[in-house]
Amino acid sequence: MTIPEKIEKPHVAFLPSPGMGHITPLFEFAKRLVIHHGFHVSFFVITTGASAAQNELFRPENLPADFTAVEIPPVENISSFFTDDMKLLTQLCIMVRESLKHLPSLLMEKRPKALIIDLFCTDAFEICEKLSIPVYSFFTASTILMAFSLYLPTLDREVEGEFVDLPEPIQTPGCTPICPHDILDQVKDRKNDEYKWYLLNVSRLPLAAGIFVNSWDDLEPVSLKALRENLFFQKIPLPPVYTIGPLIKQDEVVTEKDAEILAWLDDQPPDSVLVVVFGSGGTLTSEQLSELAWGLEMSQQR
């Protein structure tokens, strides 16, 4: 009787840009591939002088088997690339650009079958093309933002001046119109380097072999239908869009205050609570907070 050879697990690599808000979604996706689908994962981490939360996340005892965290060597004198007035996204993109100079050697050493990146690591497309490694993008924000971002290069060519000064809502193909003042902060000032970096990264999205989104069809039916069927996105052409949501952080420590909030939520009638999420960097002015409070009051939601 012949003993069958050991089946080799599929090996993929992940590459998030720095910061817990970028690392966590890809980390959760990677864990699920390992635990539920039998993958081996190499998770590349750009070294930035990590926070305590990041150090805790990558402690060996907190990682499943077949999940390997790989530190990309730090960039020497990275602060010399920055200026006092440089905004955060510009700093992040420069840090990624300089750090990815180490990526070719790491990929040749690890030899993954594919690389999964976030929005701000698109320099990896050129690197992986030379190594014949397919690259997938994980767009972790809403699909309406993804649709707008894919439409942004067209807006950039066709619109003069600032988008916030447009007299009418911005009509992303197949999607709900967006009020100019509600667009992403990074695209409100086209003269700033943040805008140029954002435009560069989103313009590369069609180079992906596929795009994962943390959503599902019942949550965002209009924008997902547009991305898959609208002629504008077909002509780009847009690669396949895969819905993999809901993908949430499962190992969060529940504090006493968290437990109190969860207990309150459990006591509310079904479909009666409106949850507003600002993301890891969301901030409001006092005026905006008052507007939000009045809006919630008028909505009659808890």
Side-chain angles (χ1 to χ4, degrees), residues 40-300:
H40 172 65
V41 163
S42 294
F43 198 94
F44 296 126
V45 184
I46 294 176
T47 307
T48 59
S51 64
Q54 181 173 319
N55 291 332
E56 180 68 19
L57 193 69
F58 291 109
R59 286 176 59 184
E61 58 268 32
N62 293 336
L63 301 177
D66 292 315
F67 187 116
T68 305
V70 181
E71 283 197 1
I72 295 178
V75 178
E76 294 185 8
N77 301 319
I78 187 64
S79 59
S80 64
F81 292 91
F82 303 153
T83 60
D84 291 339
D85 61 345
M86 187 177 287
K87 293 192 175 181
L88 184 60
L89 178 61
T90 302
Q91 294 183 31
L92 181 147
C93 290
I94 291 173
M95 188 177 298
V96 169
R97 181 193 67 194
E98 296 303 311
S99 296
L100 292 200
K101 292 176 181 179
H102 297 284
L103 186 61
S105 60
L106 289 171
L107 289 171
M108 286 188 286
E109 176 189 344
K110 299 299 180 181
R111 297 187 178 278
K113 299 298 184 184
L115 178 68
I116 299 172
I117 64 172
D118 76 2
L119 178 60
F120 301 112
C121 290
T122 60
D123 282 347
F125 283 121
E126 183 178 356
I127 295 169
C128 289
E129 182 181 17
K130 295 175 181 177
L131 299 174
S132 299
I133 298 173
V135 180
Y136 292 79
S137 179
F138 184 14
F139 196 93
T140 57
S142 67
T143 56
I144 182 64
L145 177 58
M146 178 177 156
F148 171 80
S149 299
L150 289 163
Y151 185 50
L152 185 61
T154 300
L155 283 174
D156 185 73
R157 291 191 300 270
E158 295 181 352
V159 175
E160 295 184 4
E162 298 295 346
F163 302 134
V164 292
D165 295 329
L166 290 172
E168 301 292 336
I170 299 169
Q171 181 61 66
T172 300
C175 298
T176 305
I178 303 172
C179 175
H181 288 282
D182 291 337
I183 60 175
L184 201 66
D185 285 346
Q186 284 75 18
V187 300
K188 287 181 177 177
D189 180 3
R190 298 173 70 180
K191 298 182 291 296
N192 194 280
D193 283 345
E194 272 200 321
Y195 172 77
K196 298 169 187 175
W197 279 107
Y198 191 82
L199 178 64
L200 173 65
N201 280 287
V202 298
S203 67
R204 290 170 172 169
L205 274 175
L207 299 175
I211 301 175
F212 299 107
V213 292
N214 187 14
S215 189
W216 61 100
D217 290 87
D218 288 341
L219 179 66
E220 299 180 280
V222 175
S223 49
L224 281 169
K225 181 180 174 65
L227 289 167
R228 289 167 172 160
E229 300 178 14
N230 189 276
L231 188 60
F232 174 84
F233 298 109
Q234 290 182 348
K235 284 184 175 180
I236 288 179
L238 188 65
V241 176
Y242 303 103
T243 53
I244 61 169
L247 190 64
I248 60 174
K249 190 174 181 181
Q250 293 184 322
D251 300 327
E252 191 79 43
V253 176
V254 178
T255 65
E256 185 176 342
K257 183 64 176 177
D258 294 335
E260 181 182 333
I261 293 170
L262 292 171
W264 179 86
L265 285 169
D266 288 340
D267 287 339
Q268 306 311 306
D271 301 323
S272 68
V273 179
L274 177 66
V275 179
V276 182
V277 180
F278 300 110
S280 59
T283 56
L284 293 179
T285 64
S286 296
E287 182 182 357
Q288 289 170 326
L289 193 61
S290 295
E291 279 190 25
L292 175 63
W294 276 112
L296 292 174
E297 179 72 19
M298 294 174 65
S299 75
Q300 301 298 306

